[in-house]
Amino acid sequence: MSGEYIVRLNDDVDPDEAKAALDPARVGLKVAWLAELAQQGVRVPAGFAVTASAYREFIVDSRLGPVIAQAIRRFRAGRDLVVAAAEIRTAFRDAWLPPVVVDEIVAAYAELGGDGTDVAVRCSPRTAAEGVQDEVFLHLTTVQGVLAACRRCFASLYGTVAVGNREALGVDQLRVAMPVVVQPMVRSGLGGSGTARGESTFVRVRASWGIGSHADSDLYSVHPGARPLVVRHRGAKLTKTVYADPRGTRTVPTTPAERAGLVLTDEELQELARWPVVADEHFRHPMTLEWAKDGQTGSLYVVEVRPGVAAEVMIQARGSSVPEPQYG
């Protein structure tokens, strides 16, 4: 199901229609890149995008345009930018989404399972240089929670840094928009996560237990071929980040078995190593993929795509030694 205000990430439609539906100007870069990879056979979480049109309908229906314009005029007249931006965000959070937008979000969330289905709601900026704080709302299990998170994502478009950047660049504050992505939670707190990226003739994979990448994580170099060569650097993995109620995270010590073991199996590495090659070839540019492993299903997913190659720095954890590489 797709409409003016909602686009599914996994719509099985004609490629030309999909290209129009998944235009970054409509769904944001995060959604567009994930959807393109999904069409190339890379596993990404199902879900849907709340489009830029939904944002604009919200602005018009809630009469927020004059609020934004007045706050910006006051800033230009000397008011503190932090105060002006906060005033706009407060107005966004106090407003109601239009019924036509609510109806499409409710229907799309129902397709994922409806109330009781654990989802994450994230911003999907339309440009990489937007300067928007990447708001993420985790473990939402009701449609009311999803609707509130969408308003918060819309409001993040008027963070202090984002407003200041647009003023410096001469961008019209009333012509911007913020798409949003809603996806089922990947239970990486029970599994693992990290990054994967191509480097010349091999793929570098970093892996940690739990959520996010840590300095003392495992590091793998996968050299493709008829008989792939895998170089494994076992990290200390002294801690991991897990989800905490109600919707936060916390850092806890790893178990002795987790510290002694490797996060990924050879089979998982071969699957992960294929995805950066697909991404680099498709986008014709080096890309870094963020992946997550669901600890309940064991499935691997790409959860975010970023252009460019971030430098990896091997940091020795206090009280630990740098391990010898293992070949296989």
Side-chain angles (χ1 to χ4, degrees), residues 58 62 64 67-68 86-96 155:
F58 171 63
S62 299
L64 288 168
V67 175
I68 297 168
E87 181 179 274
I88 298 172
R89 294 196 303 275
T90 298
F92 272 56
R93 294 166 186 169
D94 291 342
W96 295 94

Side-chain angles (χ1 to χ4, degrees), residues 5 8 22 37 82 106 112 117 162 172-173 211 213 228 232-233 242 302-303 320 327:
Y5 306 121
R8 284 177 54 181
L22 296 167
L37 285 186
V82 174
V106 169
L112 296 180
T117 303
D172 188 340
Q173 301 282 358
I211 310 162
S213 186
R232 307 173 185 83
H233 291 269
V242 299
V302 169
V303 295
S320 66
Y327 299 87

